[in-house]
Amino acid sequence: MAQAAPAPAAATAVSPQASAAVKELLDAMDVRRMMIASFAEMEKALPQMMRAQMTAVINADPAASDEKKKAAMAKVEQVLPGAAEAINRMFRDPALLDDMMAEIGPLYARNYSVAELKELTAFYRTPLGQKMLALSPRLAAESMAAGQRVVAPRLNGLMLEVMQNAQAK
C-alpha cells in the first residue's frame, strides 16, 4: 500500500539564513501541532476510507459471486480494526514527526527565498494566518473525504472495466 517517496533531486546546501528563516516559519506555522492535528483527523477518517476502498475493489470483481463478495467483506471487517490501529500507531510515533520536520525544512528553503520565508512568517503570525492554520487539518480531512466521494465512483467503474477487459483476453 505504501511506497517509498523518491529522494529529492540533487539536494542543495541550505544557507544559514535560509535555515533560520525556515525555522521561524515552521515555528510560526506551529507545524508540529498542525501535523499532530492532521494525523488525528486521518486517524478518524482512516477506517471508513479503507473500508470504502476495499469495498470498491471487492465489488469491482465481476467474476466474484455475491457469496464470495460477502465473505471478502467479512474478512475486511475482521482485519480492518487491526490494520487501522497499526497505521494509527505509526501516526502517533514521535519519530515520525521528527522525520517529517527534517524533510519539510529543506523543501521550504529550496522553494522560497529568505525574503519570501520572512513574508510567510509574518502572515502566519496575523489573525488570518492563525485562523488558516487552525482550520487546515479539518479542511484537509474534509477535502480528502470529498475526494473519496468524487473519485470512488469513477474508480469503481474503471476497475470494473479493467476486470472485464482482463477476462475478455
Side-chain angles (χ1 to χ4, degrees):
M1 194 153 123
Q3 295 180 347
T12 56
V14 176
S15 74
Q17 297 86 357
S19 286
V22 166
K23 183 183 180 328
E24 283 292 313
L25 174 61
L26 297 181
D27 288 346
M29 292 172 65
D30 203 0
V31 169
R32 279 187 178 274
R33 183 193 56 74
M34 212 166 74
M35 279 195 287
I36 290 168
S38 292
F39 291 163
E41 290 293 332
M42 284 189 266
E43 283 185 38
K44 287 190 261 183
L46 192 62
Q48 183 56 35
M49 289 171 55
M50 292 171 70
R51 183 177 289 108
Q53 189 62 43
M54 293 307 298
T55 299
V57 169
I58 291 165
N59 287 333
D61 184 356
S65 66
D66 287 344
E67 187 175 304
K68 186 175 179 181
K69 288 179 183 181
K70 185 177 177 181
M73 283 306 301
K75 184 70 172 173
V76 165
E77 291 302 327
Q78 181 183 13
V79 300
L80 187 62
E85 181 52 36
I87 293 169
N88 291 343
R89 276 194 310 274
M90 176 197 68
F91 283 139
R92 292 183 210 123
D93 180 1
L96 176 64
L97 289 175
D98 294 339
D99 292 345
M100 292 293 296
M101 294 297 287
E103 292 288 326
I104 290 170
L107 282 174
Y108 280 86
R110 284 195 308 270
N111 289 284
Y112 294 101
S113 69
V114 171
E116 290 169 333
L117 290 165
K118 289 179 180 183
E119 284 183 53
L120 285 168
T121 301
F123 167 72
Y124 283 117
R125 289 193 170 134
T126 67
L128 179 59
Q130 290 298 301
K131 180 179 181 178
M132 183 178 165
L133 291 172
L135 290 174
S136 288
R138 190 181 84 214
L139 292 174
E142 290 176 10
S143 294
M144 283 193 314
Q148 181 74 18
R149 286 191 305 274
V150 171
V151 172
R154 289 174 170 90
L155 187 58
N156 291 348
L158 180 62
M159 293 181 80
L160 181 60
E161 181 182 321
V162 167
M163 296 295 284
Q164 288 171 343
N165 287 341
Q167 287 181 341
K169 292 181 180 183

